[in-house]
């Protein structure tokens, strides 16, 4: 309405609303989700690659309407999943802001005043561990009754990092700020130990199965089978060394059909007809 | 035709934090005014020169004709310096477009 101020919800609210809306759209329960699968379902290409410890967390690219999320696999799996959900949040909330867009996320957990980043973090937390889901799993415990071991157990349920789980408990209003700080302190240097005590193998929690989008891989294989691309180009397109690409083809039984034997007489006959 | 190649060369050079003088030296174009002319569209480049630009600026040759890629890079620059992960992603997007186009074209 003209002249009336518009009330824009704060970024965290935008993120939470968008996360719950997506869960609703995909008919997901309040429980844990496989974020890799969800990214594929919403039509975004996903690529995982080791960019090293200093390589940053992830990127969201949208070029001419084609969206791509890249995740650095040098990080812990729980952090990879949080980054993936964070980039998914950018896709859900920010892809329409510009036709061509790249969002560079070197450290998704760093404190920031950028409203886009705040919204994407709120999206990630709520999407991976909605308040209703963690409340149900935590039972009646609140504030100081919540222990670091409880946090580790929730990590196993929802596949979030320790820090992200603690932050999500605060967002869900299950703990207050002093208890958030207490739990963060209690987790320092103890996360690995607590996870092993609880029998949780982080690497096995919802691991991403394919480093490259599977429809892309299928197309590359098709092009190679038809001899449309060389062995070297196949390796390049698969982001593998030529030796690894060959091993990949062997492992998956990918072969090219035999070429027909050269028939000299038939070729000469054809040439004659053409001339 | 619009000066896409020149514009893209300027974008890639600036991303690398390279001066026109340095680029001129790297591609063997004599001096900075020649690079300035290329970037402003006053001088055309042949395919051999484009190859040298591609090597000096560390991007594939077809990246110079891709305006959308330029726009994406302009945004990525916000983080400062060349971003390996963005470059990697742009190459993958380009290969994805190629694979889809070729498979569709041949009906495979």
């Amino acid at each position: 309405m003209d002249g009336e101020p518009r009330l824009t919800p704060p970024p965290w609210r935008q993120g939470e609303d968008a996360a719950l809306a997506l869960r609703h759209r995909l008919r997901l329960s309040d429980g844990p989700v496989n974020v890799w699968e969800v990214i594929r379902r919403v039509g975004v290409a996903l690529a995982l690659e080791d960019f090293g410890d200093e390589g940053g967390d992830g990127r969201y690219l949208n070029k001419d309407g084609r969206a791509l999320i890249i995740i650095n696999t040098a990080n812990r799996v729980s952090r990879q999943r949080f980054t993936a959900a964070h980039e998914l949040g950018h896709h859900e909330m920010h892809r329409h802001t510009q036709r061509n867009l790249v969002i560079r996320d070197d450290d998704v957990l760093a404190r920031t005043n950028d409203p886009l980043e705040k919204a994407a973090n709120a999206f990630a937390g709520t999407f991976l561990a909605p308040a209703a889901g963690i409340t149900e799993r935590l039972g009646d415990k609140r504030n100081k009754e919540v222990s670091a071991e409880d946090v580790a157990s929730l990590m196993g349920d929802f596949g979030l990092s320790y820090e992200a789980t603690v932050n999500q408990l605060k967002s869900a209003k299950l703990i207050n700020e002093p208890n958030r700080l207490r739990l963060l302190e209690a987790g320092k240097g103890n996360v690995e130990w607590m996870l092993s005590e609880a029998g949780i193998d982080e690497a096995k929690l919802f691991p991403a199965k394919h480093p490259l989008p599977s429809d892309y891989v299928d197309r590359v294989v098709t092009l190679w089978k038809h001899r449309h691309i060389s062995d070297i180009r196949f390796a390049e397109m698969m982001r593998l060394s030529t030796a690894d690409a060959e091993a990949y083809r062997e492992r998956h039984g990918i072969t090219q059909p035999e070429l027909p034997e050269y028939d000299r007489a038939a070729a000469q006959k054809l040439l004659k007809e053409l001339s | 035709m619009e000066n896409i190649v020149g514009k893209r060369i300027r974008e890639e050079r600036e991303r690398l934090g390279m001066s026109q003088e340095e680029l001129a030296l790297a591609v063997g174009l004599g001096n900075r005014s020649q690079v300035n002319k290329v970037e402003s569209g006053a001088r055309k480049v042949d395919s051999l020169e484009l190859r040298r630009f591609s090597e000096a600026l560390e991007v594939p040759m077809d990246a110079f004709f891709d305006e959308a890629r330029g726009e994406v890079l302009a945004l990525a620059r916000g983080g400062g310096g060349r971003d390996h992960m963005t470059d990697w992603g742009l190459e993958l997007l380009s290969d994805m477009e190629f694979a889809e186009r070729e498979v569709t074209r041949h009906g495979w």
Side-chain angles (χ1 to χ4, degrees), chain B residues 9-26:
Chain B
I9 287 176
R10 186 189 298 266
E11 282 166 352
E12 296 291 348
R13 176 180 63 75
E14 287 177 347
R15 277 199 81 223
L16 277 184
M18 205 182 234
S19 68
Q20 287 183 332
E21 188 74 49
E22 285 167 332
L23 183 57
L25 208 69

Side-chain angles (χ1 to χ4, degrees), chain A residues 50 94 99 180 224 235 259:
Chain A
D50 186 347
H94 309 132
R99 191 172 68 99
R180 185 185 80 91
W224 181 82
L259 284 173

Side-chain angles (χ1 to χ4, degrees), chain A residues 1-256:
Chain A
M1 276 169 273
D2 286 347
E4 281 190 20
R6 235 187 226 172
L7 289 175
T8 310
W12 61 267
R13 169 72 76 182
Q14 290 175 31
E16 287 183 4
D17 288 351
L20 294 175
L22 180 61
R23 272 189 170 256
H24 182 72
R25 202 169 86 221
L26 300 177
R27 297 177 197 281
L28 299 169
S29 69
D30 291 328
V33 286
N34 184 336
V35 68
W36 314 113
E37 189 62 34
V38 170
I39 288 173
R40 230 190 46 195
R41 274 179 73 184
V42 298
V44 177
L46 172 71
L48 296 104
E49 172 82 3
D50 186 347
F51 291 95
D53 293 338
E54 304 294 314
D57 281 333
R59 301 288 180 271
Y60 174 74
L61 276 74
N62 197 316
K63 182 168 169 267
D64 290 333
R66 196 184 285 266
L68 171 68
I69 287 175
I70 311 169
I71 302 295
N72 183 1
T73 56
N75 297 321
R76 299 173 65 123
V77 172
S78 55
R79 183 154 185 145
Q80 291 177 40
R81 291 186 74 249
F82 187 83
T83 305
H86 175 105
E87 305 303 345
L88 177 63
H90 282 312
H91 178 75
E92 285 297 302
M93 295 181 287
H94 309 132
R95 72 175 179 277
H96 299 302
T97 52
Q98 289 175 218
R99 191 172 68 99
N100 290 305
L101 176 68
V102 58
I103 297 177
R104 182 173 173 172
D105 287 313
D106 284 327
D107 183 358
V108 288
L109 293 176
R111 284 203 169 270
T112 172
N113 284 322
D114 184 336
L116 263 61
E117 295 307 315
K118 281 183 167 179
N121 272 347
F123 178 99
T126 300
F127 188 74
L128 293 174
I134 51 173
T135 305
E136 191 191 322
R137 277 173 169 72
L138 198 62
D140 296 331
K141 288 182 184 172
R142 296 291 180 273
N143 290 313
K144 64 180 182 187
E145 296 159 7
V146 182
S147 67
E149 286 73 19
D150 291 327
V151 178
S153 166
L154 286 169
M155 284 175 72
D157 287 336
F158 291 96
L160 275 175
S161 69
Y162 184 88
E163 191 181 358
T165 307
V166 172
N167 288 339
Q168 202 47 26
L169 284 168
K170 166 94 190 316
S171 300
K173 298 188 172 59
L174 299 170
I175 56 169
N176 54 20
E177 181 62 12
N179 279 294
R180 185 185 80 91
L181 297 173
R182 172 185 61 83
L183 287 168
L184 287 180
E185 194 57 38
K188 274 184 189 159
N190 290 327
V191 177
E192 298 283 354
W193 179 80
M194 286 188 295
L195 286 176
S196 74
E197 279 294 293
I200 297 164
D201 183 352
E202 204 193 32
K204 285 186 183 154
L205 290 173
F206 322 108
K209 282 184 189 150
H210 307 286
L212 291 173
S214 50
D215 53 352
Y216 168 70
V217 170
D218 289 347
R219 286 182 185 124
V220 175
V221 168
T222 301
L223 292 174
W224 181 82
K225 276 184 176 173
H226 284 86
R227 292 187 163 79
H228 198 66
I229 54 173
S230 66
D231 292 2
I232 292 172
R233 186 75 181 111
F234 175 85
E236 272 178 10
M237 291 180 83
M238 295 290 281
R239 273 67 189 161
L240 295 170
S241 68
T242 39
D244 286 347
E246 201 179 330
Y248 177 91
R249 290 197 300 265
E250 265 180 36
R251 205 166 53 245
H252 292 86
I254 302 165
T255 53
Q256 289 173 330

